[in-house]
């Protein structure tokens, strides 16, 4: 592979952790081609936009950013990838210098060479997914927590979601390749690994002899190293009893379960094509709480789905009260062209969607604060992620954000970032904790 002359690059990442992982692979690829990452986009020769199509607001932000980049005195070349590169190709190739699908990242070198030779804008090639994309070594954002993809794409076709259309059908990554990447990261000193996929629970379904997700976790558990293991995202219809048992027995899997419900009413869930009922979801939550009494639970919710009545929304409110989520990511329904729900009348007024959002947010904050107060006086392990002024910030095993008020000796110790330390909880907030290091 012929490398082109050294150039500076900057990556904007929109959307989910899957896109974050993709951006780390883009960075790894570009640095292998003599590109140099810069912290200020104004210094870049190339600005890569790794885009998201989940909501219209995400797409609007991309188009707004392109417009602003073109106003710069020393305008950088603009490359587009991610979900919008598949969905909005015609419009984007008029606005950007290069459009490529993330699955074709291993061909990016050829695209860049063609651009520099011809100077013409390049369009997205026909998707040609191979495992070459997964084999690209990522350039991780930090040196202590890494995202490791175990699959790409989705087979669920929820009626509101564009993912199966822009990322394609689900493809599982070979087990040995996943284990190899994790072992290499641990040898480099990483303390936490997050396995990612649109639906990690269905990992391995597309291989006749490939282990399923619980067996993958069991293989990772056997790696001889001390580290934390998270995973996202789970789908309620595929979360098995065996998976719950595997988590309960593990000493490395952190007690944090992200389990999107999206709605609390059966008719709405059916209209969303979620594949489970309210009753099945609550039964699953009961199993998790019984096996993992110390686990924190988070979810995704869409308010104002087409046809959702006030009475149906109240069932979501009731679900919140029953489950008592530690965190919820609440979105107001946004019609996405190409999805089944796009053909439904978006008949919940914007103001009503906002009202429902506020109702759930207020309830969530009350529940989360009540749960966090129970942690006051306890000592929890925290993975230190950043230092701001006289404070460190980190994550607990249950993925709660923790602010650490330090003694003077700790303040001057800049080596704590990336370390796991014990912290005694002194205060509780709705979406976080505060404490002092006991080390």
């Amino acid at each position: 592979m012929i490398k082109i002359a050294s150039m500076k690059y900057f990556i904007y990442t929109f959307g989910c952790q899957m896109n974050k992982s993709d951006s780390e692979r883009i960075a790894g690829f570009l640095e292998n081609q003599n590109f140099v990452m810069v912290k200020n986009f104004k210094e870049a020769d190339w600005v890569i936009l790794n885009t998201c199509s989940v909501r219209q607001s995400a797409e609007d932000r991309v188009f707004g950013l392109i417009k602003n980049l073109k106003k710069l005195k020393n305008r950088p070349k603009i490359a587009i990838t991610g979900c919008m590169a598949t969905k909005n190709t015609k419009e984007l190739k008029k606005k950007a210098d290069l459009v490529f699908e993330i699955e074709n990242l291993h061909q990016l070198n050829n695209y860049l060479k063609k651009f520099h030779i011809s100077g013409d804008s390049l369009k997205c090639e026909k998707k040609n997914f191979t495992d070459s994309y997964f084999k690209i070594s990522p350039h991780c954002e930090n040196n202590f927590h890494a995202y490791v993809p175990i699959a790409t794409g989705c087979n669920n076709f929820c009626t509101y979601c564009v993912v199966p259309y822009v990322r394609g059908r689900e493809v599982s990554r070979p087990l040995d390749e996943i284990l190899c990447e994790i072992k290499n990261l641990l040898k480099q000193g990483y303390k936490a690994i997050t396995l990612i996929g649109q639906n990690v629970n269905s990992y391995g379904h597309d291989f006749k002899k490939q282990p399923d997700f619980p067996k993958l976790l069991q293989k990772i558990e056997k790696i001889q190293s001390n580290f934390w293991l998270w995973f996202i995202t789970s789908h309620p219809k595929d979360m098995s009893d065996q998976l719950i048992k595997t988590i309960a027995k593990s000493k490395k899997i952190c007690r944090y379960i992200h389990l999107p419900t999206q709605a609390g009413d059966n008719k709405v869930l059916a209209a969303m094509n979620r594949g489970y009922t309210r009753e099945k979801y609550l039964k699953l939550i009961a199993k998790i709480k019984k096996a993992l009494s110390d686990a924190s639970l988070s979810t995704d919710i869409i308010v104002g789905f087409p046809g959702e009545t006030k009475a149906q929304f109240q069932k979501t409110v009731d679900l919140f009260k029953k489950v008592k989520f530690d965190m919820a990511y609440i979105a107001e329904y946004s019609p996405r062209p190409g999805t089944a729900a796009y053909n439904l009348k978006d008949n919940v007024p914007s103001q009503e969607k906002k009202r429902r959002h506020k109702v759930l947010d207020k309830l969530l904050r009350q529940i989360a604060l009540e749960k966090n107060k129970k942690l006051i006086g306890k000592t929890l392990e925290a993975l230190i992620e950043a230092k701001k002024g006289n404070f460190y910030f980190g994550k607990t095993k249950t993925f709660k954000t923790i602010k650490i008020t330090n003694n003077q000796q700790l303040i001057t110790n800049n080596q704590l970032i990336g370390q796991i330390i014990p912290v005694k909880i002194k205060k509780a907030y709705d979406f976080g904790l505060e404490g002092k290091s006991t080390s």
Side-chain angles (χ1 to χ4, degrees):
M1 183 159 46
I2 301 173
K3 297 183 180 181
I4 62 178
S6 177
M7 301 189 93
K8 298 175 183 177
Y9 75 96
F10 184 92
I11 302 178
Y12 277 100
T13 306
F14 299 82
C16 65
Q17 286 87 351
M18 201 73 192
N19 275 18
K20 179 181 175 68
S21 173
D22 289 342
S23 288
E24 291 181 342
R25 275 175 159 70
I26 294 170
F29 181 91
L30 289 175
E31 297 202 0
N32 190 48
Q33 300 304 311
N34 292 333
F35 277 64
V36 178
M37 181 186 288
V38 292
K39 294 182 179 180
N40 189 331
F41 65 90
K42 293 180 180 180
E43 300 174 2
D45 299 300
W46 279 92
V47 172
I48 297 97
L49 309 185
N50 190 3
T51 61
C52 173
S53 290
V54 171
R55 286 185 287 276
Q56 185 60 47
S57 59
E59 293 192 9
D60 292 342
R61 286 171 60 204
V62 170
F63 286 119
L65 181 55
I66 292 173
K67 186 176 180 180
N68 290 334
L69 288 171
K70 288 187 173 182
K71 291 179 181 179
L72 294 176
K73 184 176 180 180
N74 297 315
R75 166 170 126 51
K77 298 175 182 66
I78 302 170
I80 308 288
T81 189
C83 297
M84 286 177 67
T86 302
K87 181 174 173 287
N88 304 67
T89 308
K90 286 186 178 180
E91 186 175 4
L92 287 173
K93 70 180 182 179
K94 295 177 183 177
K95 299 178 180 294
D97 301 291
L98 172 63
V99 180
F100 68 96
E101 295 184 17
I102 193 64
E103 290 85 354
N104 290 330
L105 176 57
H106 57 287
Q107 299 177 6
L108 182 57
N109 185 57
N110 294 329
Y111 297 158
L112 293 172
K113 283 192 293 183
K114 288 179 182 177
F115 178 87
H116 286 288
I117 291 172
S118 66
D120 296 328
S121 295
L122 300 176
K123 66 179 181 178
C124 186
E125 299 290 337
K126 183 178 179 181
K127 186 175 291 187
N128 180 31
F129 179 83
T130 70
D131 62 358
S132 298
Y133 158 72
F134 280 138
K135 285 186 169 64
I136 294 171
S137 297
H139 174 77
C140 296
E141 186 176 295
N142 59 57
N143 59 4
F144 54 87
H145 181 194
Y147 291 89
V148 176
I150 66 170
T152 186
C154 184
N155 293 345
N156 289 312
F157 290 91
C158 299
T159 58
Y160 53 82
C161 185
V162 297
V163 170
Y165 305 99
V166 296
R167 281 194 174 266
R169 295 298 181 92
E170 191 171 301
V171 179
S172 298
R173 189 179 181 189
L175 172 70
D176 291 343
E177 193 175 306
I178 296 169
L179 294 176
C180 183
E181 181 167 337
I182 292 174
K183 288 176 183 177
N184 285 337
L185 288 165
L186 296 174
K187 286 179 182 177
Q188 295 172 46
Y190 280 78
K191 300 294 175 60
I193 304 293
T194 297
L195 307 178
I196 58 173
Q198 265 71 38
N199 178 15
V200 293
N201 300 156
S202 60
Y203 170 80
H205 77 94
D206 48 334
F207 290 98
K208 289 183 179 180
K209 296 182 179 180
Q210 183 81 349
D212 59 12
F213 189 54
K215 290 179 181 176
L216 169 63
L217 292 177
Q218 290 163 17
K219 291 282 188 181
I220 297 172
E221 177 80 17
K222 293 179 181 178
I223 297 175
Q224 297 298 310
S225 183
N226 185 25
F227 62 98
W228 291 5
L229 182 65
W230 285 299
F231 59 82
I232 48 176
T233 293
S234 292
H235 196 298
K237 72 179 180 62
D238 297 317
M239 192 162 195
S240 65
D241 292 348
Q242 184 59 44
L243 175 54
I244 296 172
K245 289 178 182 177
T246 299
I247 299 169
K249 291 180 180 179
S250 174
K251 294 181 180 180
K252 293 174 180 173
I253 303 173
C254 297
R255 301 305 201 254
Y256 169 66
I257 308 295
H258 183 67
L259 197 64
T261 181
Q262 304 297 0
D265 178 81
N266 285 340
K267 287 187 177 179
V268 177
L269 287 170
M272 290 178 167
N273 191 35
R274 288 295 288 169
Y276 53 86
T277 63
R278 168 195 178 89
E279 291 74 23
K280 287 184 178 179
Y281 185 87
L282 288 172
K283 185 177 180 181
L284 178 57
I285 291 293
K287 288 181 180 179
I288 293 171
K289 287 185 174 182
K290 183 178 180 180
L292 306 164
S293 59
D294 57 343
S296 66
L297 299 167
S298 65
T299 195
D300 293 338
I301 292 288
I302 295 173
V303 296
F305 186 80
E308 184 187 55
T309 65
K310 290 183 179 180
Q312 289 171 332
F313 169 69
Q314 281 305 124
K315 291 187 177 180
T316 300
V317 174
D318 181 69
L319 185 80
F320 262 54
K321 292 177 180 178
K322 282 183 166 63
V323 177
K324 296 187 181 300
F325 294 107
D326 294 82
M327 177 56 73
Y329 303 91
I330 306 164
E332 296 161 26
Y333 173 74
S334 173
R336 311 310 298 133
T339 64
Y342 189 72
N343 297 318
L344 302 175
K345 186 177 180 181
D346 184 18
N347 57 358
V348 179
S350 177
Q351 283 303 111
E352 175 60 16
K353 290 178 184 177
K354 293 183 186 301
R355 184 193 73 82
R356 295 178 189 183
H357 191 154
K358 288 180 180 179
V359 168
L360 288 183
D361 183 69
K362 182 179 179 180
L363 178 58
L364 171 66
R365 288 177 181 274
Q366 292 172 348
I367 293 170
L369 178 58
E370 179 185 330
K371 295 184 75 173
N372 285 344
K373 281 182 176 179
K374 295 178 181 178
L375 298 173
I376 294 175
K378 294 187 177 182
T379 298
L380 306 176
E381 286 187 307
L383 174 62
I384 307 303
E385 297 179 316
K387 183 182 178 185
K388 298 177 183 178
N390 290 335
F391 304 104
Y392 281 99
F393 291 85
K395 284 285 192 295
T396 67
K397 283 188 173 181
T398 53
F399 213 68
K400 292 180 185 288
T401 299
I402 186 165
K403 177 182 178 181
I404 303 164
T405 54
N406 315 311
N407 55 42
Q408 190 60 39
Q409 184 178 359
L410 200 60
I411 291 171
T412 57
N413 182 3
N414 290 317
Q415 305 302 316
L416 285 180
I417 294 176
Q419 300 301 310
I420 296 172
I421 65 172
V423 180
K424 188 171 184 178
I425 307 305
K426 299 292 185 180
K427 294 181 181 179
Y429 305 97
D430 44 13
F431 296 147
L433 303 166
E434 184 175 316
K436 289 189 175 182
S437 170
T438 62
S439 59

